[in-house]
Amino acid sequence: MTRRKKMVERVKKLMNKPEKIRDIGIVAHIDHGKTTLTDSLLAGAGIISQELAGTQLFMDYYELEQQRGITINAANVSMVHEFEGEEYLINLIDTPGHIDFGGDVTRAMRAVDGAIVVVDAVEGVMPQTETVLRQALRENVKPVLFINKVDRLINELKVDKKEMQLRLSKIIDDVNELIKGMSKEKYEQGWKVDASDGSVAFGSALYKWAISVPSMKQSGIGFNEVYDYCQKDDVKSLAEKCPLHQILLDMVIPHLPNPLEAQKDRISVIWYGDRKSIVGEAMEKCDPNGPIALMVTDIMMDPHAGEVATGRLFSGVLRRGQELRVSGMPATSRVQQVGIFIGPDRLEVEEAPAGNIVAITGIKDVIVGSTISSIEMTPFESIKYVSEPVVTVAVEAEHTKDLPKLIEVLRQLSKEDPTLKVEIDEETGEHLISGMGELHLEIVAYRIEHDHKIPITTSPPIVVYRETVQGRAGPVEGKSPNRHNRFYITVEPLPKEVIQLIKSGAVSMRVKELERRQLLMDAGMDKEEAKNLAGIYGSNVLLDMTKGIQYLRETMELILEGFEDVMRNGPLAKEPCQGIKVKLVDVKLHEDAVHRGPAQVIPAIRHAIHASILMANPAILEPILDVYIHVPADQMGSASREIQGRRGQILDVHSEGDLVIIRGKAPVAELFGFAGDIRSATEGRALWSTEYAGFEVLPSNLQVDIIRQIRQRKGLKLEMPKPSDYVDL
Amino acid sequence: MKLAALVSGGKDSTFAMYKALQAGHEVIDLITIKSQNPNSYMYHTPNIHLTELFSKASGIPLLVEESSGEKERELEDLERALHKVDVGGVVVGVIESEYQASRVERICKSLGLDVYAPLWHQDSEVLLREMVQVLDIRITHVAAFGFDKSWLGRKMDEKTIEDLKTLKGRYGIHISGEGGEYESVVLDAPFFAKKIELVKTKKIWCEDYGTLEILEAMLRNK
C-alpha cells in the first residue's frame, strides 16, 4: 500500500509536465495478448504483483470480462516509468479486441497520441490488426509494434533461428505495408516501424520478457540468446534480464509523441473549429492556462459518484467546482470531482492539467463524444464508428414493476456505449436493443440482470436488415391528405463511392458546402446534384432539384422530416434504408401556410418516397461477417463445412506451419450459435474471429420470406406492400 | 343589416351565421357554391347537397351556384351569385385562411358589400368549445396524418376537442381544420326549426384520408 501511495504522489507530480507524459493505447487482434501485456506492464510498474500479472487480467476488471477472458470496456490506468534517469507518466488505455466492441476502440483512439500494436508471432497480421491500425491512423495516433508470443515460434512451431528471424521480419513488413497503404504521407514522415531504430519490440507478454535492438545493445541478449533460453524453458531468467515493461516503455517514450508534440498535429484532424481562436491555439499548445477543452471518450456509472465521464483534456486545468458547459446543452454544470485512474480505482485529485486522461463527475447531460468546455467552442468532430449495429434483441422486464427501472437502465447503457442502440417499438411497446453482435448483446443483458438486478427475458437475437433500391423510378406524385400539396419524387441507387464518403464521415451536412460539393463531384456525382444536396440520413441523400418554388424554403424542414422517417422505416419491412438517392423534382404547395402543416407535408413526402422505392426494384440487404478460422489441418474439412453450411463462402485457404487459415464470409443471420457449433465440429481446436463486412443483397429466393417474417414480427400487414398503397397511380 | 350567409353546412359557416343572428342581423339568403373540383382551395365540397336540408330546417331560402372549380375562376362564380341577392353584406365563417378571406373581401368590396366575419382570428379552441355548446356537429371528412377511420361520423364534443388538441401537439394539425384537416356537417342549430337526421351513410377510407358519404338524410321535429 505504501508503495502504491508513493506511486500516486509521483503520478500527481508528473501530471503537470506535459513533456513527460505519454497518452497511449494498446491495440490488437483478439487473443493476441493485449490485456496480458497491460497486466505485465502494470506489474512492472508495481501496481499489481508480478506473480498475479498475466492471470489476474487486471484491466479486465469487469467480472464478466474475467469469466470470459476477454476485454469488454476500455479501461484506464496511469503509471510512472523511468527512462534515461528521468521519470515519465504513462496514461494507458486498454481496448477490447473482439469485433463486437469496436466502438470502444474507436473512442479510446481519440484520447491517446500513440499506440502499441500487438501482433501474435505465430498468427501474424490479422484482419482486426488492420482495423485497429486503420482506426489509429485515422485519428492521427502514431503506432509502435510489439510482436508477442515469440516463444510459441520456438516451442510450438519449432522453427530454427533463421526461420524465426524471417517470420518476424515478415510481420514487420506486413505492418509497414498496411501503414503505407493507409497513409503514404505518414509512412514517409517516420511512422514506419523499424526494428533497427527501436520502434519494434519482440517478446512474451505472458512470461514478461521482451527485447528490442536498443535493449540488445545494453543487455547483450539478442535473438540467439532468446532462442536458447526458450528452448531451455528458462523464461524466468529471461524475464529478469530483459523485463517486458522496461523494454516496452523504453520503446514508448522516445517513439511516441508527448501531448505537446501530438496536439500540434492532431487537433486539425480531430477538431474542425477555427485554429486561430483562443481555444484552438490553446489546444495546439496543450496550454494549461487556456480554457477547458475536454473530449469525452467514455461514460461509466459509479454507484456512489454517479456518472463518471472520462476523456482527454486538451487545454486548461480541471478543478473541482468549475462551471463547465457540454456542447449542445443550454445549461452549465459544476464539476464535483476530478480524478485519474490507477487500474479499476479512480483516484480523486485536486486538479488535472491539459495533456492528461482524466475523469470527472457532476457534469449533466454528457454522452460519449461530448465536448466539455469552459467557454463556448466548436465541438470536437463526433467520433466515427467503423461498424454498424447488426443484431437486435427485445428485452422485457420479468416483473412489470421493474419497467421504469429498466427504461432508466437502458437509457444509461446507451449513454455509456454509443454503439448500442435502444428503441421502443411503438406498436408492441417492446424495448429493442441493437448492437454489434450476439456477444455484445449477451453482455448487455448480463449487465442489466447482474449489475442492475433487474430480471429480464430477452428474445432470440434478430438480424438488423436494410432496404435499398436496385433500379430507378419516378417521378411519383405524393399528395397531402388534404390534396392541396403535391410532391414529385424520383429514387435511384446512390453510387458506392458516394456511400463510402458518407459512411466515412468525409461528407456530412456539417462539412462546408463548397468542400462537400467538390468531394461529391470527385466521387462522380453530377455537379447539379452535388449542388442541391438538401439532407443526408444514414447513407441516403435527399437532393432538391426544384427551382424557384415559392414557400419551399419554409417547407423544407417538414420535407426532410418525411424523408428521414422513410429512411428509418423503409416500405418493405420498416427496416432502415441504405444507399438511396431521393430527388425532389417538383413541388406544388398551397399558398396558405395553414394548409401545408406537418400533418399534410410529412405524409405526402412519405407516400411519394415509399411508392418510388417500391417501384424501383427494391431489395432487402443483410449484414455479412468475414470469418477467419485457424484450425489444425486435419480439422479443415469440418471447419469449412461450418461456413459453407451457413450460406457462407470460403474465400481463401492457406497453411501456416501445421495450421490452416480459412478466410470466408457468411451472413449474420446464419452465424447465430456459430461459437458452439464450430467448437464441437473441431473438438474445440479452432480459433476464430469475425469482422464486420457490410451489407449485401439477400438472395432473391429468400427476399419474400424474410420480408414476410419481419412484417409478421412487427405486426404489419402480411401482404407485400404495393406502390398503390401509397399513391394514386 | 340584411345579410346573405355563405354556407357549406359545416360548423364554421353555421356558427358565423349564428353569431350574426345573435348580433341582431337578419340573414335573408343562404348561398352555396357547388364546386366540380373535389380539391377546391375555396369551397367546402363533401356533402354539399345537405345545404338544401339546412335551408329547409332554418327556413331561409337557398341559392345554389354551380362552379367549375378552376382555381381563381371559382371567384367569378361567387361574384355571379352575389349579384342575385339584395343584401348589405355577406357573413362568412373563415377563421384563419388568408386565401379565402382575402378573395371574398376583394369581391365584396367591388360590389359594395360589407364582409361580416365574426370568427376571424378568434382563438380556435375557444370557438370550438362555444360551438359544441350550441351546435350538433358531425365529422364527415378527415385528411391529415394522425386521423383514422374512427373519426368519420363522430359527434363533436369536449372529448373530441381534447383529441384534436392531442393531434395538434403530435402532428401540428389546426384544431379547427383550417388546413383542410377535417370537414363537418351541422345537424342542429338554435335557429333550426327542425333537425337533420342522417339515415344512411357510408365510410370511404383511403391511406390517410377518408369521407363519410351521406347517402340519405331527412328532417325531423325537434
Side-chain angles (χ1 to χ4, degrees):
Chain A
M1 247 359 234
T2 45
R3 192 171 170 195
R4 190 187 159 90
K5 255 190 195 150
K6 247 186 236 158
M7 164 80 117
V8 168
E9 283 316 306
R10 285 154 79 199
V11 169
K12 282 188 187 168
K13 221 177 275 161
L14 287 166
M15 281 173 73
N16 295 303
K17 301 180 181 158
E19 68 283 358
K20 294 288 168 57
I21 297 175
R22 299 291 181 276
D23 292 326
I24 63 165
I26 300 183
V27 294
H29 185 83
I30 187 166
D31 269 340
H32 279 198
K34 258 186 337 267
T35 304
T36 310
L37 174 60
T38 312
D39 278 356
S40 298
L41 291 180
L42 289 180
I47 294 181
I48 53 177
S49 80
Q50 290 278 0
E51 288 70 38
L52 278 179
T55 52
Q56 189 172 10
L57 297 180
F58 193 70
M59 292 289 258
D60 288 348
Y61 62 78
Y62 207 69
E63 194 180 328
L64 189 67
E65 294 180 329
Q66 295 194 3
Q67 274 174 21
R68 293 199 177 226
I70 52 168
T71 307
I72 297 159
N73 289 306
N76 314 291
V77 67
S78 300
M79 57 193 162
V80 178
H81 179 66
E82 208 183 296
F83 178 68
E84 292 179 351
E86 302 254 6
E87 285 197 329
Y88 289 83
L89 174 63
I90 313 280
N91 293 318
L92 176 67
I93 293 190
D94 185 31
T95 59
H98 195 282
I99 183 214
D100 285 7
F101 310 106
D104 276 346
V105 181
T106 316
R107 266 177 273 153
M109 284 300 108
R110 180 60 50 91
V112 301
D113 301 322
I116 302 178
V117 179
V118 182
V119 176
D120 183 317
V122 176
E123 295 193 351
V125 169
M126 290 297 286
Q128 278 161 31
T129 314
E130 185 178 341
T131 308
V132 293
L133 199 53
R134 193 182 300 282
Q135 281 165 330
L137 288 173
R138 198 168 57 195
E139 300 286 336
N140 226 342
V141 167
K142 191 179 179 203
V144 288
L145 177 63
F146 174 57
I147 303 183
N148 192 16
K149 308 190 192 179
V150 170
D151 52 314
R152 281 185 64 200
L153 283 179
I154 304 162
N155 294 338
E156 287 177 33
L157 292 194
K158 313 231 181 276
V159 300
D160 59 21
K161 287 180 188 172
K162 203 175 152 210
E163 169 83 18
M164 176 170 86
Q165 298 251 21
L166 279 177
R167 279 181 175 255
L168 295 178
S169 32
K170 172 150 193 315
I171 293 174
I172 300 173
D173 289 347
D174 287 349
V175 168
N176 277 325
E177 203 54 41
L178 286 176
I179 297 175
K180 201 167 157 187
M182 290 168 197
S183 173
K184 201 158 178 230
E185 197 189 329
K186 295 210 184 83
Y187 179 81
E188 281 161 5
Q189 278 168 20
W191 283 37
K192 177 181 174 199
V193 292
D194 189 347
S196 64
D197 76 2
S199 55
V200 180
F202 312 85
S204 160
L206 184 60
Y207 299 113
K208 294 190 256 337
W209 63 268
I211 54 166
S212 65
V213 171
S215 86
M216 291 175 203
K217 286 176 192 152
Q218 273 179 16
S219 64
I221 304 238
F223 284 111
N224 280 330
E225 290 74 14
V226 162
Y227 196 91
D228 297 339
Y229 275 116
C230 283
Q231 263 192 333
K232 277 188 290 181
D233 212 13
D234 184 13
V235 285
K236 202 146 186 186
S237 330
L238 203 49
E240 273 160 28
K241 292 205 166 77
C242 15
L244 175 86
H245 74 278
Q246 186 77 41
I247 283 42
L248 277 201
L249 297 181
D250 281 357
M251 166 167 79
V252 161
I253 286 163
H255 287 284
L256 296 182
N258 66 43
L260 288 175
E261 297 160 342
Q263 287 186 205
K264 211 162 36 189
D265 291 336
R266 291 189 67 215
I267 294 302
S268 61
V269 175
I270 58 179
W271 190 64
Y272 275 0
D274 178 7
R275 279 151 66 199
K276 292 274 159 289
S277 64
I278 297 171
V279 66
E281 288 192 345
M283 287 198 294
E284 288 199 346
K285 284 190 292 207
C286 188
D287 186 355
N289 299 317
I292 301 282
L294 174 79
M295 159 99 201
V296 178
T297 53
D298 191 30
I299 305 259
M300 288 201 125
M301 240 356 233
D302 181 296
H304 308 294
E307 256 172 41
V308 183
T310 307
R312 165 74 175 265
L313 183 63
F314 287 96
S315 137
V317 177
L318 274 174
R319 290 188 187 89
R320 192 181 16 201
Q322 278 166 332
E323 281 287 336
L324 298 181
R325 59 182 72 231
V326 176
S327 56
M329 296 295 158
T332 59
S333 40
R334 194 181 291 269
V335 178
Q336 278 170 1
Q337 285 181 4
V338 178
I340 53 168
F341 284 97
I342 308 254
D345 305 326
R346 192 164 34 82
L347 184 89
E348 211 181 325
V349 291
E350 282 306 306
E351 53 175 51
N356 283 285
I357 293 167
V358 295
I360 55 175
T361 63
I363 306 294
K364 287 191 202 73
D365 296 319
V366 59
I367 57 167
V368 168
S370 288
T371 301
I372 297 179
S373 58
S374 53
I375 60 168
E376 193 117 17
M377 70 178 276
T378 310
F380 285 95
E381 199 197 355
S382 63
I383 300 181
K384 291 181 215 94
Y385 296 104
V386 182
S387 320
E388 298 174 49
V390 292
V391 177
T392 299
V393 294
V395 228
E396 225 178 311
E398 234 165 65
H399 313 294
T400 326
K401 68 169 170 54
D402 286 336
L403 186 62
K405 206 169 139 202
L406 177 64
I407 293 172
E408 183 52 35
V409 165
L410 287 175
R411 202 186 59 86
Q412 186 62 42
L413 288 173
S414 68
K415 245 174 134 176
E416 292 170 13
D417 176 1
T419 55
L420 187 71
K421 225 175 70 192
V422 177
E423 282 173 317
I424 298 179
D425 184 321
E426 296 205 358
E427 267 113 74
T428 61
E430 276 176 323
H431 287 84
L432 303 175
I433 53 176
S434 307
M436 316 299 290
E438 208 182 354
L439 179 61
H440 185 198
L441 295 181
E442 268 178 39
I443 306 270
V444 171
Y446 175 89
R447 294 182 64 178
I448 296 172
E449 291 210 287
H450 192 264
D451 297 7
H452 300 280
K453 310 270 183 281
I454 307 174
I456 49 167
T457 51
T458 53
S459 69
I462 298 162
V463 180
V464 176
Y465 292 93
R466 293 278 187 276
E467 300 188 16
T468 194
V469 295
Q470 304 176 97
R472 41 179 81 215
V476 170
E477 179 190 68
K479 283 190 207 137
S480 63
N482 67 11
R483 319 325 263 168
H484 293 328
N485 307 281
R486 285 148 201 251
F487 301 87
Y488 299 84
I489 295 283
T490 69
V491 302
E492 61 191 270
L494 195 60
K496 276 207 180 64
E497 297 74 22
V498 179
I499 297 178
Q500 213 42 52
L501 276 181
I502 296 173
K503 282 202 171 163
S504 70
V507 164
S508 75
M509 294 315 276
R510 283 178 52 197
V511 175
K512 285 187 201 83
E513 203 197 319
L514 280 176
E515 200 177 311
R516 187 174 72 208
R517 195 189 299 174
Q518 195 56 49
L519 282 167
L520 287 171
M521 279 160 60
D522 294 345
M525 195 183 245
D526 177 82
K527 184 177 177 189
E528 221 24 49
E529 293 187 349
K531 219 170 80 184
N532 290 324
L533 184 66
I536 298 177
Y537 194 87
S539 55
N540 310 281
V541 298
L542 176 70
L543 306 172
D544 170 20
M545 307 304 287
T546 63
K547 286 216 162 58
I549 290 178
Q550 221 181 347
Y551 315 118
L552 186 58
R553 276 179 80 91
E554 51 190 275
T555 312
M556 208 58 202
E557 210 168 302
L558 299 178
I559 296 176
L560 276 169
E561 218 173 296
F563 161 72
E564 288 170 6
D565 192 63
V566 179
M567 296 305 115
R568 265 192 303 272
N569 303 294
L572 291 178
K574 284 203 170 188
E575 293 287 298
C577 292
Q578 170 173 312
I580 303 183
K581 186 201 281 180
V582 179
K583 284 202 256 184
L584 184 66
V585 293
D586 196 10
V587 178
K588 292 194 170 70
L589 289 172
H590 193 291
E591 50 198 87
D592 226 341
V594 69
H595 286 274
R596 46 182 153 86
Q600 302 297 343
V601 174
I602 297 172
I605 286 290
R606 204 154 42 188
H607 295 336
I609 304 179
H610 271 152
S612 317
I613 292 176
L614 289 175
M615 289 156 78
N617 192 12
I620 290 280
L621 305 174
E622 63 173 345
I624 304 288
L625 295 180
D626 281 337
V627 185
Y628 301 85
I629 308 177
H630 290 231
V631 69
D634 57 331
Q635 302 279 6
M636 189 188 105
S638 340
S640 356
R641 267 195 300 282
E642 278 305 315
I643 293 190
Q644 282 156 338
R646 295 170 186 266
R647 283 201 283 120
Q649 238 175 300
I650 305 284
L651 301 173
D652 179 49
V653 179
H654 69 273
S655 47
E656 186 85 9
D658 58 349
L659 277 182
V660 174
I661 300 172
I662 304 170
R663 189 166 69 87
K665 61 173 189 175
V668 170
E670 305 287 335
L671 285 170
F672 292 144
F674 184 71
D677 292 352
I678 187 97
R679 199 180 309 124
S680 43
T682 61
E683 295 159 15
R685 290 166 68 198
L687 257 182
W688 62 281
S689 64
T690 56
E691 187 88 341
Y692 173 72
F695 282 81
E696 287 180 14
V697 177
L698 184 75
S700 54
N701 57 332
L702 295 176
Q703 289 272 343
V704 174
D705 278 353
I706 294 288
I707 292 172
R708 192 162 290 151
Q709 260 177 39
I710 309 172
R711 292 186 73 91
Q712 184 167 21
R713 192 180 77 220
K714 293 185 174 174
L716 303 171
K717 273 189 299 194
L718 281 192
E719 301 139 54
M720 289 293 271
K722 300 182 297 292
S724 58
D725 295 346
Y726 297 105
V727 295
D728 307 331
L729 290 172
Chain B
M1 196 195 296
K2 286 184 177 165
L3 300 175
L6 205 52
V7 295
S8 64
K11 63 176 171 49
D12 298 339
S13 57
T14 309
F15 195 62
M17 185 175 153
Y18 170 70
K19 285 270 189 188
L21 292 169
Q22 268 197 323
H25 298 292
E26 197 183 340
V27 176
I28 59 164
D29 279 300
L30 303 178
I31 297 175
T32 282
I33 309 287
K34 211 167 172 177
S35 177
Q36 303 292 326
N37 174 6
N39 301 325
S40 167
Y41 275 21
M42 267 310 274
Y43 311 119
H44 179 159
T45 52
N47 300 312
I48 197 80
H49 58 283
L50 240 62
T51 50
E52 278 165 36
L53 285 179
F54 187 99
S55 159
K56 281 183 192 147
S58 59
I60 304 169
L62 173 73
L63 176 71
V64 178
E65 195 68 36
E66 299 275 343
S67 164
S68 64
E70 284 169 53
K71 208 181 162 194
E72 301 304 340
R73 293 274 301 274
E74 295 179 314
L75 300 171
E76 295 166 18
D77 306 320
L78 174 62
E79 194 174 346
R80 202 166 56 240
L82 289 174
H83 270 297
K84 297 180 187 166
V85 294
D86 181 21
V87 290
V90 178
V91 51
V92 291
V94 60
I95 304 175
E96 268 177 35
S97 172
E98 297 283 348
Y99 185 89
Q100 291 169 350
S102 63
R103 279 159 180 76
V104 170
E105 189 153 35
R106 204 166 66 220
I107 293 167
C108 289
K109 212 169 173 187
S110 72
L111 297 174
L113 296 174
D114 280 348
V115 175
Y116 188 66
L119 315 188
W120 184 241
H121 283 190
Q122 301 283 312
D123 181 84
S124 297
E125 190 181 335
V126 174
L127 279 178
L128 279 182
R129 292 197 192 281
E130 284 181 52
M131 286 182 197
V132 300
Q133 298 293 321
V134 295
L135 305 178
D136 180 355
I137 306 165
R138 304 300 166 98
I139 290 176
T140 55
H141 179 80
V142 291
F145 188 65
F147 287 105
D148 61 27
K149 204 173 168 179
S150 71
W151 282 82
L152 295 174
R154 186 166 173 184
K155 183 180 159 94
M156 288 271 272
D157 53 19
E158 289 290 332
K159 171 82 172 68
T160 317
I161 297 172
E162 288 310 313
D163 288 350
L164 286 168
K165 278 169 68 184
T166 308
L167 289 184
K168 177 187 177 177
R170 206 173 288 164
Y171 305 112
I173 66 153
H174 189 286
I175 63 166
S176 284
E178 280 290 280
E181 288 89 346
Y182 67 96
E183 306 285 2
S184 61
V185 60
V186 172
L187 300 185
D188 195 7
F191 56 87
F192 277 17
K194 291 185 171 184
K195 62 180 179 185
I196 301 171
E197 191 179 279
L198 303 180
V199 181
K200 201 172 164 196
T201 60
K202 187 173 136 199
K203 288 184 184 180
I204 299 169
W205 188 256
C206 308
E207 177 72 11
D208 56 7
Y209 66 101
T211 301
L212 180 79
E213 216 172 283
I214 298 167
L215 302 169
E216 205 184 320
M218 59 182 282
L219 288 182
R220 216 169 246 284
N221 287 330
K222 291 222 246 185

